[in-house]
Amino acid sequence: MPVSPELAEGLAAAVADLYEAAEGVLIGKIRRALAEGIDSPVWVELKLAAVGNLQAAITEVIAALQADASGAIGQALAEAYGRGQQAAVAELGALGVGQAAAAAAVLPTAPVVDRLAQAVIADTGPVHLRMLRQSMDVYRDVVSRAAAAPVLGAQTRRQAAQSALDAFADRGVRGFVDRSGRSWELRSYVEMAMRSAVGRAAIEAHSDRLGAAGVDLVIVSQSPEECPKCRPWERKILARTGVPGAREVQVEHATEDGEMVTVEVAGSLPEARSAGLLHPNCRHSISAYLPGVSRVPEPQASRGTYEDTQRQRYYERQIRKWKRRDAAALDDAAGKAARARVRAYQARIRELTAETGLPRKRHREQLTTAR
């Protein structure tokens, strides 16, 4: 069967769920710590005295997260690599061209999985320190704002605290800046890193198995609502390895001994991936191309545009944002207002999917709760 980053997408989401759940726990702990005794005249003194207790509680949450995440990352990558191997074996077996037995030969997997897992753990390592630092920073900021607000006459203490908590719920734990300068929220950052890793694991496993069976060419599928980076590679034949650049090659027919076939190769798989194909959110797949047997698929109509999919993703982020606001609400009025905004963005998604035919992805509208 063909392989794509989507093959292991659920594995990435499972790891990202751990971080989103932990972030929700942190927001809840800060909210409860601040809400306790908020109408007391000595509230500020009590909150400053409780900094150590809150820090200890947050540190405990982060330590549990770190232990769970390390194991989950390794397990997810091993599963992704296994799925990629199985996909190659199943694909060649279904084609019935005799290479399935060679593809099924045992290949060493531990070094590849360990390498990918260590890279993800190294990338997400700084996350845990930021979670502690930013959680404590927002707690101190809320106390500071709430203490000053009544004196300045700008807001009540509760309003000032709610305003600061809303800001934290909106941005979440941040500080992850990629090479393009984009700042990521916690779940998005972890999920991006994991999608990249599990997708790479599945694709490398698939390619390794095809190589073991002597299959050197692959073909890229067409995917609806494709992004500009992937569009040039759709329905193109690529070499699994080798030098970049388009060329015509003479290769032997997959089933007819001695018969040569001319194949137009658009480039190499590493070249296409470097250009953006099979990125973490990519819906394209690659499959074995057997000269003289495989056929280039016919073009398929899209349900919408790439811009439509990005608009849907924006609405999904807004729904999660206002659900975090609801979780951070100090009173019923703030929670009611946040839930109204959730319903408004859900209505926009319903309109978009009805208009374009795009599938609604309800799981992307949900916040993961702590186990």
Side-chain angles (χ1 to χ4, degrees), residues 136-151:
M136 297 310 301
D137 284 349
V138 74
Y139 178 82
R140 294 188 180 95
D141 182 49
V142 169
V143 174
S144 176
R145 288 195 198 186
V151 176

Side-chain angles (χ1 to χ4, degrees), residues 284-298:
H284 289 88
S285 64
I286 58 171
S287 55
Y289 181 82
L290 305 178
V293 176
S294 300
R295 295 289 179 264
V296 176
E298 293 296 323

